[in-house]
Amino acid sequence: MAAGSYVEPSYERDTRYIPDRITRDGSDGWPVEPGRYRLVAARACPWASRAIMVRRLLGLEDVISLGLCGPTHDADSWTFDLDPGGVDPVLGIPRLKDAYEKRFPSYPRGITVPAIVDVLSGQVVTNDFARMTLDFATEWTDYQRAGAPDLWPVDLREEMAPVMRRVYTEVNNGVYRCGFAGTQEAYDAAYGRLFTALDWLEDRLTTRRYLMGEHLTCADVRLLTTLVRFDPVYHGHFKCNRQKLDEFPVLWAYARDLFQTPGFGDTVDFVQIKQHYYRVHRDINPTGIVPLGPDLTNWCEPSGREALGGSPFGHGTAPGEIAPAERVPQAHNPAVGPDGELIVTQRIR
């Protein structure tokens, strides 16, 4: 997600990301190397949240360090407001923009998270959020934890590609088309597309526990980051209000099932999510008032989805304990305990 304002007649996301990849063979000049790279993210941002989730699911925490920006930013850059002195302790910079401009002076596009920064040079490597998580799953396998799930299985990729494309264009980005529409006509069209896609997902998930069947994949990660924001933000702030997520019987149960699985809900910070959208988007919320609701304790209710069979991690296992520095505060998520672990974890089968 980039810093800045978005409103225009019909919202179009700038998808011109830095295309470099970190690979085993280092073909783009960036070889896989433990400890060399820092993932800069923000828990408020859905695109960054998927990178945080995948990194935890695969057990890459000790291999790729994590820098967290605060939930709000100005029009210039995401900033390290959560760190002492407002400076990232590893990169030594106050603004993510500094890493972008270290490599590309006067970088012409938005300063987005997630971004991966080369700690050695202080330069941004990539901000291509979609490719980033797929590379975590495929290029970093030598350093993944024992029992890491296969989030991008070869035998499902052909089927997964159009599913993930539709989730991205119609749901992940669809809520933004509603929220940042500048005309009634643009909003009406965006609203129709979004709920058509949500109805399709409701139907698809009726007979399968996860988007691709019996086990979770990258597709589920991509969808959940939008679903957790739907009732707290998108329903009201973005006018995606045909119905709330908890009024979709299947999607709501699916979302709770994932949320209560280690690696998902334990990375979600609802307070930062609301602070970001309601305080940063002054063009659609001029007062900057952050709503107190909704009541989010319903995320702790059993989903019943285990009756469909399958298991989240396939032949793998759940991720381990969260490092103290990466725990979501208990007051920011009703499903986590004082140690940062989920207190309502789905039974792993």
Side-chain angles (χ1 to χ4, degrees):
M1 184 184 294
S5 180
Y6 304 86
V7 172
E8 51 193 78
S10 182
Y11 174 67
E12 297 293 336
R13 182 175 298 278
D14 184 353
T15 57
R16 294 172 295 170
Y17 300 107
I18 302 167
D20 289 22
R21 296 174 57 194
I22 300 170
T23 56
R24 278 192 191 86
D25 63 9
S27 56
D28 282 354
W30 309 103
V32 166
E33 185 179 326
R36 176 171 175 176
Y37 304 101
R38 188 161 177 81
L39 170 64
V40 178
R43 295 195 191 277
C45 169
W47 320 104
S49 290
R50 69 167 63 169
I52 295 172
M53 288 179 182
V54 170
R55 172 179 171 271
R56 171 153 165 71
L57 288 167
L58 298 178
L60 294 172
E61 294 99 325
D62 294 333
V63 179
I64 304 169
S65 67
L66 177 65
L68 289 172
C69 297
T72 60
H73 57 67
D74 55 29
D76 192 46
S77 179
W78 287 88
T79 52
F80 295 98
D81 306 328
L82 305 176
D83 293 307
V87 174
D88 181 271
V90 172
L91 300 174
I93 56 176
R95 308 176 306 160
L96 179 56
K97 183 176 183 178
D98 297 334
Y100 276 74
E101 295 199 328
K102 187 75 176 290
R103 183 176 176 197
F104 303 107
S106 302
Y107 184 74
R109 294 189 286 279
I111 305 302
T112 63
V113 290
I116 294 182
V117 178
D118 175 35
V119 176
L120 295 175
S121 65
Q123 298 180 357
V124 66
V125 175
T126 183
N127 62 348
D128 188 343
F129 65 87
R131 186 69 248 177
M132 188 184 299
T133 49
L134 298 182
D135 284 343
F136 284 174
T138 57
E139 299 295 324
W140 290 81
T141 52
D142 290 344
Y143 302 99
Q144 293 172 9
R145 64 180 176 87
D150 185 358
L151 298 177
W152 186 224
V154 172
D155 62 330
L156 289 178
R157 290 180 189 177
E158 185 175 352
E159 181 186 355
M160 284 178 68
V163 172
M164 292 197 299
R165 184 163 52 249
R166 188 170 184 183
V167 167
Y168 167 70
T169 60
E170 304 305 298
V171 180
N172 300 149
N173 203 40
V175 293
Y176 284 84
R177 275 197 302 269
C178 290
F180 297 128
T183 67
Q184 187 68 50
E185 293 75 17
Y187 166 74
D188 291 352
Y191 179 98
R193 287 178 61 179
L194 170 64
F195 283 98
T196 294
L198 291 175
D199 289 339
W200 164 71
L201 288 165
E202 178 86 353
D203 181 65
R204 180 180 180 87
L205 290 164
T206 298
T207 57
R208 62 180 79 197
R209 188 169 177 184
Y210 303 104
L211 277 175
M212 302 312 303
E214 295 188 343
H215 313 302
L216 63 84
T217 64
C218 281
D220 299 291
V221 177
R222 293 182 178 203
L223 179 55
L224 184 68
T225 58
T226 295
L227 297 184
V228 297
R229 290 162 174 76
F230 201 88
D231 289 358
V233 175
Y234 301 145
H235 179 269
H237 185 59
F238 277 0
K239 307 179 186 68
C240 302
N241 60 356
R242 192 190 78 180
Q243 64 206 90
K244 296 187 296 180
L245 175 63
D246 66 14
E247 294 168 345
F248 284 92
V250 175
L251 263 179
W252 173 227
Y254 162 83
R256 297 199 312 281
D257 185 17
L258 279 183
F259 184 83
Q260 294 171 23
T261 299
F264 289 86
D266 51 20
T267 70
V268 174
D269 189 317
F270 285 113
V271 170
Q272 288 196 22
I273 287 169
K274 292 198 298 182
Q275 287 175 342
H276 172 76
Y277 285 91
Y278 286 101
R279 289 180 178 169
V280 171
H281 302 156
R282 292 303 180 97
D283 34 15
I284 53 179
N285 184 41
T287 64
I289 293 172
V290 180
L292 295 177
D295 180 1
L296 298 168
T297 57
N298 56 1
W299 280 96
C300 300
E301 297 172 357
S303 73
R305 294 282 291 180
E306 63 273 9
L308 291 172
S311 60
F313 302 107
H315 297 298
T317 58
E321 183 179 353
I322 301 176
E326 296 190 10
R327 293 171 182 169
V328 173
Q330 187 176 19
H332 291 200
N333 183 331
V336 301
D339 60 356
E341 302 294 322
L342 286 168
I343 57 176
V344 287
T345 302
Q346 286 283 6
R347 180 158 50 93
I348 305 302
R349 298 175 54 190

